[in-house]
Amino acid sequence: MEYFEEFPILIIDDELHSETAEGRASREIVGELKKEDFTVIEALTARDGIHAFLSHPHVSCIIIDWDLTPEQGDGMLTAADVITLIRERNRKIPIFLYTERLAISAIPLEVISTIEGYIWKLEDTPDFIAGHIKRAARTYLSDVLPPFFKALVEYVDEYKYSWHTPGHMGGVAFLKTAAGRIFFNFFGENTLRADLSVSVAELGSIHEHTGVVGEAERRASDVFSSDRTYFVTNGTSGANKIVWLGTVTAGDIVLVDRNCHKSIMHAIIMTGAIPVYLIPSRNEYGIIGPIHESEFHLETIRKKIAACPLTGDPSKHAIRLAVITNSTYDGLCYNVETIHENLKDTVPFIHYDEAWFAYAKFHPLYAGRYGMHPVEEGGPTVFATQSTHKVLAAFSQGSMVHIRQGREPVDPGRFNEAFMMFTSTSPQYMIVASLDVATKMMAGHSGKFLIEEAIEEAIVFRKKMVTVGEEIAASRRPVERLWWFTVWQPDCIMDEEVTVPVAEAAETLLRNTGGCWTLRPGDEWHAFGGLEEDYIMLDPIKVTILTPGVRVGGGMEESGIPATIVTKYLRNHGIVVEKTGYYSFLVLFTLGITKGKSGSLLAELFRFKALYDDNHPLTEVFPDLVRDYPARYTEKGLRDLCQEMHEYLKAGEITGIVRKVYENLPQPEMTPAEAYRHLVRGRVTEVPVRCLAGKPVAMMVVPYPPGIPVIMPGERCSAETRAIVDYLAFCEDFDNRYPGFENEMHGIVVREEEGRRSYYVTCIDTDGGDR
Ligand SMILES: *Cc1c(COP(=O)(O)O)cnc(C)c1O
């Protein structure tokens, strides 16, 4: 297969370039390997060899000279050290040792047991040796491909002409027009040839979970530690609905994390369930915290159900399912054993929405914090839905449902009806292949190292931010220039009973010990009250950066820098952050991170600081903004803008309002499903946001920040929940005052009226008419 060309053979040999018999023999072997199109990477020292391996993890075979001379500058690394490092990351790649027959007795057993074989350079012919190496490389590569992807590659290779859908027939249809040709060239022939239909028997059936696709799902189930895994081709949006339609029916009571994704809302509508909400906490930075453990207590839940006007006859109060977002958008992950303990007798099904957390199983840092973590048997059946594409390597929409069976197990045949409800009869096989490959990438040890790189990079960045802050604080600048951004993280961690500042803590400790990142009750930095010991952990790869403006312990500072200005600046310089709050923003370190990527973020933050400190003119900092709104921004400097916006947010008591918004939930007047029926039938009116009180809304309204729905379909604001109306009105006013910094609002209709942006909410007509 031509795909093998790209897999080099790595030779680590310090004599490769020497005029010795061994050197000549090595060069002849390299020559033989190259004859057959294998590429060869040559490394002359142990360190160089390690670097070559780390930067070419796809090499197909490695040959190491056992007599590598340890070098001072290398830290005296030996061949055995190189082998150990490679084996930690890859158990299967063939490794050969160049050695002499007599030297073998000196090779320690732990090396002998991990290598493929020996090469006697001076005794066998180069041709024979190269043949041996190539055979091992090919065998290794043939085992590298996971089942579905392998079958897809083979099928595409073999069958050039298709007579089935899709109608473009391997891309041929595109060649008939210029636009189509450009499309074809852009995506490439393999992409189009691999776009096959379900009628290819060789690839099995995703609907019936048979053939290679079924095998791929079973492998994923092993790798992700589930009892059963389903590949989903329409995102976790689809995966969540599959879980719900497979378990929940109309009138069932469900416990719903109020910090849920909109696909959960859609599932509530589709099933006709009655939601009772679990309320997450918030802190004064506007960061959404965890659901407190007390929310899972049976008495708390009973009270909520009794208070909910939709739940009807109390004797029929069976709760069907609880859904929890894990980790939260801000990277807080739960101790699933605590949740299990609390909910085990309350619900038959627990659903963890782990859209951002598919990697958790693969690193010891997250032990006990993800849905598929084994807990005692006989408890609830657990679902975890994961957007493989968000945090592992897969095409967009690639997602998985994992199931761990409990006392009310899911029957695969019945559950499959829900699966098929959301699976196209023409699924995109490239998504399936990418899920198969993502699984393979995480299998064995490679998963841990892939995640570890992201964790490492995030920790380096976190520490660097702290030391930079310290250096600035210790520098001889005017006092108003001593500020720096703060990372939202513990100031200190415990290292063997000793408290050490994070910047000085050992990296291996920070990388491997979940305890370093748990939110300890009473610690000031996280600003969440009432936490339980070892309940919540901050995932270090999700880095929240705080901008100046909010006082530690509550209240606002005299001066401040709203985060939206910082992230707009970053965006203009090619850095797109994950999420922006009022005085915080989130950056994400994923598998795709490359070393040094965080360096450019640091550099831009520095530049922002310099521009701010000099009150640099906006005409230069934000030329686009000044061009679009000259009257508003021309005369100002960057610090002026920050200060003006800060004072506005401060006067509006924004952090206080945001907190109040979630303190009391609006009153449910009808189920989301019923609200949706009104919407479809058009029995709705758009109401100006200021007149919202008293009217049940037809759509969920989600302001970003903070990204939690403030009101759900069928709910209405009352006097106690006036804060919601105030908050939306505040956002509307903000948009008009700060054009170019408009809030992102979901579920709000924005109208331009006489040069003003006005917010409308779609509300249900409750006056008369048949329901
Ligand atoms: C993104 C997201 C989803 C939806 O996932 P897609 O793969 O984009 O469909 C569901 N839940 C949460 C918490 C998410 O963040």
Side-chain angles (χ1 to χ4, degrees), residues 85-101:
L85 180 131
I86 292 170
R87 278 291 173 245
E88 274 174 6
R89 286 162 173 75
N90 189 328
R91 293 269 163 101
K92 292 202 171 143
I93 189 166
I95 301 178
F96 288 96
L97 280 189
Y98 273 156
T99 181
E100 290 166 35
R101 276 184 205 276

Side-chain angles (χ1 to χ4, degrees), residues 234-238 240 261 263 325 329 353 355-356 387 389-390 399:
N234 52 348
T236 299
S237 307
N240 286 346
H261 185 256
S263 57
T325 308
Y329 300 91
D353 182 344
W356 290 98
S387 296
H389 68 95
K390 280 183 180 169
S399 169

Side-chain angles (χ1 to χ4, degrees), residues 25-101:
S26 288
R27 288 197 292 281
E28 280 177 39
I29 294 167
V30 170
E32 285 295 328
L33 290 170
K34 285 185 175 166
K35 260 190 204 161
E36 260 189 71
D37 282 349
F38 269 100
T39 48
V40 176
I41 299 174
E42 302 177 2
L44 296 177
T45 65
R47 171 138 323 235
D48 191 22
I50 289 174
H51 286 166
F53 171 71
L54 293 177
S55 56
H56 299 82
H58 59 296
V59 290
S60 56
C61 183
I62 299 170
I63 300 148
I64 302 175
D65 181 7
W66 179 245
D67 295 321
L68 276 183
T69 320
E71 291 186 16
Q72 204 75 49
D74 256 13
M76 303 301 281
L77 288 171
T78 63
D81 297 329
V82 178
I83 294 169
T84 308
L85 180 131
I86 292 170
R87 278 291 173 245
E88 274 174 6
R89 286 162 173 75
N90 189 328
R91 293 269 163 101
K92 292 202 171 143
I93 189 166
I95 301 178
F96 288 96
L97 280 189
Y98 273 156
T99 181
E100 290 166 35
R101 276 184 205 276

Side-chain angles (χ1 to χ4, degrees), residues 231-236 239 355 386-391 393-400 430-432 434-435:
F231 282 179
V232 178
T233 54
N234 52 348
T236 299
Q386 301 175 339
S387 296
T388 319
H389 68 95
K390 280 183 180 169
V391 286
F395 277 128
S396 285
Q397 298 192 33
S399 169
M400 296 189 203
M430 280 182 289
I431 297 175
V432 178
S434 76
L435 290 172

